[in-house]
Amino acid sequence: MTSTDKEAMDLRAQIQQYLVESGNYERISNKLAQRLLDEGWMEQVKKITRETMEDDNTTNFSEVLKRVEPEAVNLVSSNTKDEIMQQIKAFLYDIVDTQ
Amino acid sequence: MTVASEKMSSLTIVSVSETIYNNLITSMVQDIVSRITSQKQLLDSRYPDMSPLFYDPQGKLDIHGQPKIQESSIYFRCNNCDRDISANRYAAHLERCMSRGNRKT
């Protein structure tokens, strides 16, 4: 790992830390959860999880997660994703200097 | 908080946002998957030979895969007069049976 990678990771951690401390992380997280619940994403993921357990005949968490996670991430509607990304970006523009 | 601009060379606002968003989504997926899998594990260990509820797309059979039983062929024992009464006439029977019982006493 190069030193710039290290710095980048530090920076990312720093930003997350600040997001949490300012209470914005909770706000964004709650909003995302609410939107996903409203659009039925939560139920869809639960259904996919059950079907995966049945198909593979396993209840092993990491095995099931490996199969479900990519699909679940894709299932988020672009509306919700854009809106949340917009909010995160707006927050970052406020606190970060860019070139 | 301000961040020195030279540090931003390998990072962009978009990529950091993407990371934060991915963290949020994956932790939610992990939360759901872990809840469902442990729930299933609990059910499996508690009821080893549990079969899922029966589903009939035609809507004719119940959750045990059985067709509907005619209520008129089921009988209840009436506690008041000790007779077997057809299930779909039980309410009507009670109305008369109970009032007759009252009149007697």
Side-chain angles (χ1 to χ4, degrees), chain A residues 23-65:
Chain A
N24 275 304
Y25 194 76
E26 196 182 349
R27 229 191 47 224
I28 293 173
S29 169
N30 285 346
K31 177 157 186 191
L32 179 61
Q34 188 62 47
R35 294 291 301 265
L36 292 175
L37 187 64
D38 287 349
E39 71 184 30
W41 180 87
M42 296 267 183
E43 284 306 316
Q44 267 177 298
V45 175
K46 284 184 197 171
K47 192 165 160 245
I48 293 168
T49 309
R50 291 205 186 92
E51 285 167 357
T52 307
M53 287 193 306
E54 204 129 302
D55 291 348
D56 300 3
N57 201 19
T58 175
T59 53
N60 182 295
F61 170 73
S62 34
E63 276 177 48
V64 177
L65 185 68

Tab-separated table of all heavy atoms in Angstrom, chain A residues 23-65:
chain	number	residue	atom	x	y	z
A	23	GLY	N	-24.185	14.179	13.280
A	23	GLY	CA	-25.560	13.686	13.277
A	23	GLY	C	-26.114	13.493	11.888
A	23	GLY	O	-27.249	13.039	11.720
A	24	ASN	N	-25.311	13.853	10.873
A	24	ASN	CA	-25.789	13.722	9.494
A	24	ASN	C	-25.845	12.270	9.047
A	24	ASN	O	-26.684	11.904	8.237
A	24	ASN	CB	-24.884	14.510	8.545
A	24	ASN	CG	-25.296	15.950	8.457
A	24	ASN	OD1	-26.438	16.264	8.129
A	24	ASN	ND2	-24.389	16.841	8.810
A	25	TYR	N	-24.929	11.470	9.587
A	25	TYR	CA	-24.899	10.066	9.186
A	25	TYR	C	-26.207	9.394	9.568
A	25	TYR	O	-26.812	8.684	8.777
A	25	TYR	CB	-23.722	9.356	9.854
A	25	TYR	CG	-23.407	8.021	9.246
A	25	TYR	CD1	-22.744	7.942	8.034
A	25	TYR	CD2	-23.774	6.846	9.879
A	25	TYR	CE1	-22.453	6.725	7.462
A	25	TYR	CE2	-23.482	5.615	9.302
A	25	TYR	CZ	-22.822	5.565	8.106
A	25	TYR	OH	-22.542	4.353	7.530
A	26	GLU	N	-26.634	9.651	10.801
A	26	GLU	CA	-27.877	9.054	11.266
A	26	GLU	C	-29.051	9.523	10.421
A	26	GLU	O	-29.915	8.738	10.047
A	26	GLU	CB	-28.094	9.421	12.735
A	26	GLU	CG	-29.140	8.553	13.389
A	26	GLU	CD	-29.393	8.956	14.825
A	26	GLU	OE1	-28.612	9.762	15.365
A	26	GLU	OE2	-30.393	8.471	15.383
A	27	ARG	N	-29.047	10.832	10.098
A	27	ARG	CA	-30.157	11.376	9.328
A	27	ARG	C	-30.233	10.725	7.952
A	27	ARG	O	-31.297	10.315	7.491
A	27	ARG	CB	-29.984	12.894	9.183
A	27	ARG	CG	-31.218	13.668	9.537
A	27	ARG	CD	-31.115	15.122	9.129
A	27	ARG	NE	-30.626	15.289	7.781
A	27	ARG	CZ	-29.696	16.192	7.445
A	27	ARG	NH1	-29.161	16.964	8.346
A	27	ARG	NH2	-29.294	16.293	6.192
A	28	ILE	N	-29.067	10.645	7.287
A	28	ILE	CA	-29.045	10.053	5.944
A	28	ILE	C	-29.405	8.579	6.009
A	28	ILE	O	-30.178	8.066	5.198
A	28	ILE	CB	-27.657	10.268	5.303
A	28	ILE	CG1	-27.445	11.749	5.030
A	28	ILE	CG2	-27.534	9.470	4.013
A	28	ILE	CD1	-26.060	12.115	4.548
A	29	SER	N	-28.854	7.895	7.011
A	29	SER	CA	-29.123	6.467	7.155
A	29	SER	C	-30.609	6.206	7.380
A	29	SER	O	-31.195	5.315	6.759
A	29	SER	CB	-28.295	5.920	8.310
A	29	SER	OG	-28.707	4.623	8.631
A	30	ASN	N	-31.213	7.010	8.256
A	30	ASN	CA	-32.651	6.850	8.521
A	30	ASN	C	-33.474	7.098	7.275
A	30	ASN	O	-34.432	6.377	6.991
A	30	ASN	CB	-33.107	7.820	9.609
A	30	ASN	CG	-32.658	7.373	10.975
A	30	ASN	OD1	-32.236	6.233	11.144
A	30	ASN	ND2	-32.723	8.273	11.937
A	31	LYS	N	-33.086	8.138	6.527
A	31	LYS	CA	-33.838	8.473	5.326
A	31	LYS	C	-33.746	7.346	4.308
A	31	LYS	O	-34.753	6.943	3.717
A	31	LYS	CB	-33.293	9.771	4.730
A	31	LYS	CG	-33.967	10.137	3.449
A	31	LYS	CD	-33.875	11.593	3.151
A	31	LYS	CE	-34.713	11.900	1.931
A	31	LYS	NZ	-34.491	13.224	1.404
A	32	LEU	N	-32.522	6.821	4.123
A	32	LEU	CA	-32.335	5.712	3.185
A	32	LEU	C	-33.174	4.508	3.604
A	32	LEU	O	-33.876	3.912	2.789
A	32	LEU	CB	-30.852	5.335	3.122
A	32	LEU	CG	-30.480	4.177	2.199
A	32	LEU	CD1	-30.857	4.497	0.769
A	32	LEU	CD2	-28.996	3.867	2.284
A	33	ALA	N	-33.144	4.201	4.897
A	33	ALA	CA	-33.900	3.043	5.387
A	33	ALA	C	-35.387	3.244	5.122
A	33	ALA	O	-36.081	2.324	4.676
A	33	ALA	CB	-33.647	2.845	6.871
A	34	GLN	N	-35.869	4.451	5.361
A	34	GLN	CA	-37.289	4.737	5.151
A	34	GLN	C	-37.669	4.589	3.685
A	34	GLN	O	-38.693	3.985	3.350
A	34	GLN	CB	-37.595	6.165	5.636
A	34	GLN	CG	-39.067	6.513	5.638
A	34	GLN	CD	-39.862	5.625	6.584
A	34	GLN	OE1	-39.452	5.428	7.728
A	34	GLN	NE2	-40.952	5.072	6.119
A	35	ARG	N	-36.809	5.118	2.814
A	35	ARG	CA	-37.098	5.043	1.379
A	35	ARG	C	-37.106	3.589	0.907
A	35	ARG	O	-37.963	3.183	0.118
A	35	ARG	CB	-36.047	5.828	0.579
A	35	ARG	CG	-36.086	7.323	0.822
A	35	ARG	CD	-37.341	7.924	0.230
A	35	ARG	NE	-37.423	7.690	-1.194
A	35	ARG	CZ	-37.017	8.550	-2.111
A	35	ARG	NH1	-36.539	9.703	-1.745
A	35	ARG	NH2	-37.123	8.269	-3.385
A	36	LEU	N	-36.143	2.807	1.393
A	36	LEU	CA	-36.049	1.412	0.970
A	36	LEU	C	-37.243	0.613	1.466
A	36	LEU	O	-37.751	-0.276	0.783
A	36	LEU	CB	-34.744	0.795	1.485
A	36	LEU	CG	-33.479	1.363	0.851
A	36	LEU	CD1	-32.249	0.792	1.514
A	36	LEU	CD2	-33.441	1.089	-0.640
A	37	LEU	N	-37.693	0.975	2.666
A	37	LEU	CA	-38.879	0.300	3.209
A	37	LEU	C	-40.103	0.648	2.375
A	37	LEU	O	-40.888	-0.220	2.000
A	37	LEU	CB	-39.076	0.730	4.658
A	37	LEU	CG	-40.166	0.017	5.454
A	37	LEU	CD1	-39.832	-1.449	5.613
A	37	LEU	CD2	-40.326	0.654	6.819
A	38	ASP	N	-40.231	1.953	2.047
A	38	ASP	CA	-41.399	2.420	1.284
A	38	ASP	C	-41.469	1.785	-0.095
A	38	ASP	O	-42.550	1.468	-0.576
A	38	ASP	CB	-41.363	3.949	1.141
A	38	ASP	CG	-41.688	4.639	2.446
A	38	ASP	OD1	-42.141	3.939	3.367
A	38	ASP	OD2	-41.491	5.860	2.546
A	39	GLU	N	-40.323	1.632	-0.750
A	39	GLU	CA	-40.383	1.123	-2.120
A	39	GLU	C	-40.388	-0.402	-2.166
A	39	GLU	O	-40.343	-0.980	-3.245
A	39	GLU	CB	-39.229	1.688	-2.947
A	39	GLU	CG	-37.868	1.126	-2.572
A	39	GLU	CD	-36.745	1.798	-3.362
A	39	GLU	OE1	-36.907	2.973	-3.721
A	39	GLU	OE2	-35.732	1.131	-3.600
A	40	GLY	N	-40.436	-1.058	-0.989
A	40	GLY	CA	-40.561	-2.508	-0.962
A	40	GLY	C	-39.241	-3.238	-1.113
A	40	GLY	O	-39.219	-4.462	-1.235
A	41	TRP	N	-38.146	-2.477	-1.073
A	41	TRP	CA	-36.825	-3.099	-1.234
A	41	TRP	C	-36.539	-4.070	-0.093
A	41	TRP	O	-36.030	-5.160	-0.310
A	41	TRP	CB	-35.777	-1.988	-1.294
A	41	TRP	CG	-34.365	-2.443	-1.456
A	41	TRP	CD1	-33.726	-2.702	-2.624
A	41	TRP	CD2	-33.402	-2.674	-0.414
A	41	TRP	NE1	-32.426	-3.075	-2.365
A	41	TRP	CE2	-32.194	-3.069	-1.024
A	41	TRP	CE3	-33.449	-2.572	0.979
A	41	TRP	CZ2	-31.050	-3.364	-0.304
A	41	TRP	CZ3	-32.311	-2.876	1.699
A	41	TRP	CH2	-31.125	-3.264	1.063
A	42	MET	N	-36.885	-3.654	1.120
A	42	MET	CA	-36.625	-4.499	2.295
A	42	MET	C	-37.277	-5.868	2.115
A	42	MET	O	-36.645	-6.907	2.347
A	42	MET	CB	-37.189	-3.840	3.554
A	42	MET	CG	-36.523	-2.528	3.886
A	42	MET	SD	-35.171	-2.720	5.026
A	42	MET	CE	-34.674	-1.023	5.264
A	43	GLU	N	-38.554	-5.865	1.691
A	43	GLU	CA	-39.277	-7.121	1.519
A	43	GLU	C	-38.644	-7.962	0.419
A	43	GLU	O	-38.536	-9.178	0.541
A	43	GLU	CB	-40.748	-6.860	1.190
A	43	GLU	CG	-41.574	-6.430	2.396
A	43	GLU	CD	-41.465	-7.408	3.555
A	43	GLU	OE1	-41.533	-8.626	3.312
A	43	GLU	OE2	-41.280	-6.941	4.686
A	44	GLN	N	-38.234	-7.280	-0.656
A	44	GLN	CA	-37.616	-8.005	-1.770
A	44	GLN	C	-36.345	-8.708	-1.310
A	44	GLN	O	-36.110	-9.864	-1.660
A	44	GLN	CB	-37.283	-7.026	-2.902
A	44	GLN	CG	-38.364	-6.906	-3.947
A	44	GLN	CD	-37.979	-5.878	-4.968
A	44	GLN	OE1	-37.806	-4.703	-4.650
A	44	GLN	NE2	-37.818	-6.314	-6.203
A	45	VAL	N	-35.530	-7.977	-0.532
A	45	VAL	CA	-34.272	-8.576	-0.067
A	45	VAL	C	-34.555	-9.766	0.837
A	45	VAL	O	-33.904	-10.800	0.747
A	45	VAL	CB	-33.402	-7.520	0.648
A	45	VAL	CG1	-32.152	-8.170	1.228
A	45	VAL	CG2	-33.013	-6.419	-0.315
A	46	LYS	N	-35.569	-9.624	1.701
A	46	LYS	CA	-35.925	-10.747	2.570
A	46	LYS	C	-36.333	-11.952	1.738
A	46	LYS	O	-35.943	-13.088	2.024
A	46	LYS	CB	-37.091	-10.347	3.488
A	46	LYS	CG	-36.678	-9.451	4.630
A	46	LYS	CD	-37.848	-9.185	5.534
A	46	LYS	CE	-37.576	-7.984	6.416
A	46	LYS	NZ	-38.766	-7.559	7.157
A	47	LYS	N	-37.121	-11.681	0.682
A	47	LYS	CA	-37.596	-12.765	-0.169
A	47	LYS	C	-36.418	-13.437	-0.866
A	47	LYS	O	-36.326	-14.674	-0.890
A	47	LYS	CB	-38.574	-12.192	-1.208
A	47	LYS	CG	-39.347	-13.225	-1.967
A	47	LYS	CD	-40.529	-12.583	-2.691
A	47	LYS	CE	-41.005	-13.474	-3.805
A	47	LYS	NZ	-40.816	-12.893	-5.151
A	48	ILE	N	-35.522	-12.637	-1.420
A	48	ILE	CA	-34.351	-13.195	-2.104
A	48	ILE	C	-33.533	-14.037	-1.134
A	48	ILE	O	-33.057	-15.122	-1.473
A	48	ILE	CB	-33.484	-12.063	-2.683
A	48	ILE	CG1	-34.235	-11.344	-3.801
A	48	ILE	CG2	-32.182	-12.621	-3.242
A	48	ILE	CD1	-33.585	-10.060	-4.221
A	49	THR	N	-33.376	-13.529	0.101
A	49	THR	CA	-32.602	-14.269	1.100
A	49	THR	C	-33.220	-15.629	1.351
A	49	THR	O	-32.536	-16.657	1.363
A	49	THR	CB	-32.559	-13.485	2.420
A	49	THR	OG1	-32.138	-12.150	2.141
A	49	THR	CG2	-31.604	-14.122	3.392
A	50	ARG	N	-34.555	-15.654	1.535
A	50	ARG	CA	-35.233	-16.933	1.785
A	50	ARG	C	-35.062	-17.872	0.609
A	50	ARG	O	-34.805	-19.070	0.783
A	50	ARG	CB	-36.726	-16.691	2.047
A	50	ARG	CG	-36.966	-15.983	3.355
A	50	ARG	CD	-38.349	-16.258	3.905
A	50	ARG	NE	-38.551	-15.422	5.090
A	50	ARG	CZ	-39.089	-14.221	5.041
A	50	ARG	NH1	-39.516	-13.727	3.900
A	50	ARG	NH2	-39.222	-13.511	6.144
A	51	GLU	N	-35.227	-17.319	-0.617
A	51	GLU	CA	-35.109	-18.179	-1.801
A	51	GLU	C	-33.698	-18.723	-1.934
A	51	GLU	O	-33.502	-19.894	-2.282
A	51	GLU	CB	-35.493	-17.394	-3.057
A	51	GLU	CG	-36.995	-17.192	-3.181
A	51	GLU	CD	-37.357	-16.173	-4.236
A	51	GLU	OE1	-36.441	-15.574	-4.835
A	51	GLU	OE2	-38.560	-15.951	-4.447
A	52	THR	N	-32.705	-17.875	-1.648
A	52	THR	CA	-31.315	-18.332	-1.739
A	52	THR	C	-31.051	-19.448	-0.746
A	52	THR	O	-30.414	-20.455	-1.082
A	52	THR	CB	-30.360	-17.163	-1.459
A	52	THR	OG1	-30.699	-16.074	-2.308
A	52	THR	CG2	-28.923	-17.559	-1.720
A	53	MET	N	-31.578	-19.290	0.485
A	53	MET	CA	-31.382	-20.336	1.489
A	53	MET	C	-31.982	-21.644	1.014
A	53	MET	O	-31.428	-22.719	1.224
A	53	MET	CB	-32.022	-19.917	2.815
A	53	MET	CG	-31.256	-18.836	3.530
A	53	MET	SD	-31.802	-18.619	5.222
A	53	MET	CE	-33.549	-18.360	5.022
A	54	GLU	N	-33.161	-21.542	0.367
A	54	GLU	CA	-33.845	-22.735	-0.113
A	54	GLU	C	-33.079	-23.384	-1.271
A	54	GLU	O	-32.838	-24.585	-1.266
A	54	GLU	CB	-35.250	-22.360	-0.585
A	54	GLU	CG	-36.195	-23.530	-0.551
A	54	GLU	CD	-37.467	-23.144	0.186
A	54	GLU	OE1	-37.397	-22.742	1.367
A	54	GLU	OE2	-38.517	-23.227	-0.443
A	55	ASP	N	-32.679	-22.554	-2.247
A	55	ASP	CA	-31.987	-23.075	-3.434
A	55	ASP	C	-30.688	-23.762	-3.060
A	55	ASP	O	-30.374	-24.842	-3.574
A	55	ASP	CB	-31.684	-21.931	-4.419
A	55	ASP	CG	-32.964	-21.397	-5.052
A	55	ASP	OD1	-34.007	-22.058	-4.902
A	55	ASP	OD2	-32.900	-20.324	-5.685
A	56	ASP	N	-29.888	-23.107	-2.194
A	56	ASP	CA	-28.578	-23.661	-1.859
A	56	ASP	C	-28.645	-24.597	-0.667
A	56	ASP	O	-27.641	-25.197	-0.296
A	56	ASP	CB	-27.585	-22.534	-1.551
A	56	ASP	CG	-27.401	-21.616	-2.738
A	56	ASP	OD1	-28.087	-21.842	-3.744
A	56	ASP	OD2	-26.594	-20.678	-2.639
A	57	ASN	N	-29.820	-24.661	-0.054
A	57	ASN	CA	-30.011	-25.498	1.118
A	57	ASN	C	-28.960	-25.200	2.200
A	57	ASN	O	-28.296	-26.086	2.721
A	57	ASN	CB	-29.953	-26.975	0.731
A	57	ASN	CG	-30.627	-27.830	1.769
A	57	ASN	OD1	-31.418	-27.300	2.563
A	57	ASN	ND2	-30.330	-29.104	1.787
A	58	THR	N	-28.791	-23.919	2.510
A	58	THR	CA	-27.827	-23.527	3.534
A	58	THR	C	-28.381	-22.353	4.335
A	58	THR	O	-29.175	-21.574	3.826
A	58	THR	CB	-26.489	-23.124	2.913
A	58	THR	OG1	-25.628	-22.645	3.946
A	58	THR	CG2	-26.652	-22.039	1.877
A	59	THR	N	-27.963	-22.276	5.600
A	59	THR	CA	-28.317	-21.099	6.388
A	59	THR	C	-27.045	-20.386	6.831
A	59	THR	O	-27.075	-19.553	7.722
A	59	THR	CB	-29.129	-21.489	7.637
A	59	THR	OG1	-28.413	-22.487	8.354
A	59	THR	CG2	-30.491	-22.000	7.265
A	60	ASN	N	-25.938	-20.722	6.163
A	60	ASN	CA	-24.659	-20.095	6.497
A	60	ASN	C	-24.674	-18.626	6.064
A	60	ASN	O	-24.872	-18.312	4.894
A	60	ASN	CB	-23.533	-20.850	5.794
A	60	ASN	CG	-22.174	-20.285	6.149
A	60	ASN	OD1	-21.881	-19.149	5.822
A	60	ASN	ND2	-21.378	-21.079	6.824
A	61	PHE	N	-24.433	-17.747	7.043
A	61	PHE	CA	-24.569	-16.306	6.787
A	61	PHE	C	-23.689	-15.835	5.641
A	61	PHE	O	-24.166	-15.185	4.711
A	61	PHE	CB	-24.253	-15.526	8.066
A	61	PHE	CG	-24.126	-14.047	7.862
A	61	PHE	CD1	-25.252	-13.279	7.625
A	61	PHE	CD2	-22.885	-13.440	7.899
A	61	PHE	CE1	-25.147	-11.918	7.427
A	61	PHE	CE2	-22.770	-12.081	7.702
A	61	PHE	CZ	-23.900	-11.319	7.472
A	62	SER	N	-22.382	-16.174	5.686
A	62	SER	CA	-21.488	-15.606	4.668
A	62	SER	C	-21.771	-16.161	3.276
A	62	SER	O	-21.654	-15.445	2.288
A	62	SER	CB	-20.025	-15.813	5.048
A	62	SER	OG	-19.843	-17.013	5.717
A	63	GLU	N	-22.190	-17.429	3.210
A	63	GLU	CA	-22.537	-17.988	1.899
A	63	GLU	C	-23.749	-17.293	1.306
A	63	GLU	O	-23.760	-16.909	0.136
A	63	GLU	CB	-22.837	-19.485	2.021
A	63	GLU	CG	-21.616	-20.363	1.984
A	63	GLU	CD	-22.001	-21.818	2.188
A	63	GLU	OE1	-22.948	-22.270	1.515
A	63	GLU	OE2	-21.370	-22.477	3.047
A	64	VAL	N	-24.766	-17.127	2.153
A	64	VAL	CA	-25.992	-16.491	1.672
A	64	VAL	C	-25.721	-15.040	1.310
A	64	VAL	O	-26.160	-14.545	0.266
A	64	VAL	CB	-27.106	-16.592	2.731
A	64	VAL	CG1	-28.355	-15.863	2.267
A	64	VAL	CG2	-27.431	-18.044	3.016
A	65	LEU	N	-24.941	-14.364	2.156
A	65	LEU	CA	-24.649	-12.954	1.908
A	65	LEU	C	-23.936	-12.768	0.578
A	65	LEU	O	-24.251	-11.850	-0.179
A	65	LEU	CB	-23.791	-12.390	3.045
A	65	LEU	CG	-23.519	-10.887	2.951
A	65	LEU	CD1	-24.800	-10.104	3.164
A	65	LEU	CD2	-22.471	-10.464	3.963
